[in-house]
Amino acid sequence: MKATVDLVILLRRAVAPLLSCTLFAFSSVLHAAGVAMVTDLQGKATASSGGTTRELTILSELEAGTSVQLGAGATLVALYLDVGDEYLFKGPSTIEFRAGAPDVRA
């Protein structure tokens, strides 16, 4: 009986930290989930988020807080994933993608 109790205690001590790490990792993934997706793109567009810059392509996901710069003559269509709203942007412009709706800054 003592061996069974020790095994249960050992499993609890081993499983609890693993479960905590898994939940933390899962919450990080949810936090970084995209709010919008590029559904059409003509011309050059770059996204800046968290100190990194990348070229956008069709089907690129945009996280909340991402700043997108459209080059002169560029056209970008973005679909907000939670409500299905579609937005059309023309360059040159800078757009910040927020959780509820985009904000055109220039």
Side-chain angles (χ1 to χ4, degrees), residues 68 70 90-96 103-106:
V68 173
L70 291 178
K90 295 188 179 208
S93 62
T94 301
I95 307 107
E96 183 174 340
D103 180 32
V104 179
R105 292 188 280 164

Side-chain angles (χ1 to χ4, degrees), residues 7-27:
L7 179 62
V8 170
I9 292 171
L10 177 66
L11 287 175
R12 282 186 185 164
R13 289 183 181 163
V15 171
L18 291 174
L19 185 58
S20 296
C21 290
T22 303
L23 291 175
F24 177 75
F26 185 66
S27 68

Side-chain angles (χ1 to χ4, degrees), residues 49-104:
S49 179
T52 62
T53 301
R54 63 185 167 104
E55 295 288 323
L56 289 179
T57 61
I58 293 177
L59 300 182
S60 292
E61 276 195 45
L62 302 169
E63 294 84 21
T66 299
S67 178
V68 173
Q69 293 199 356
L70 291 178
T75 303
L76 181 137
V77 178
L79 175 72
Y80 262 72
L81 301 173
D82 59 345
V83 292
D85 291 342
E86 189 174 70
Y87 294 89
L88 170 68
F89 305 99
K90 295 188 179 208
S93 62
T94 301
I95 307 107
E96 183 174 340
F97 283 82
R98 297 185 178 173
D103 180 32
V104 179

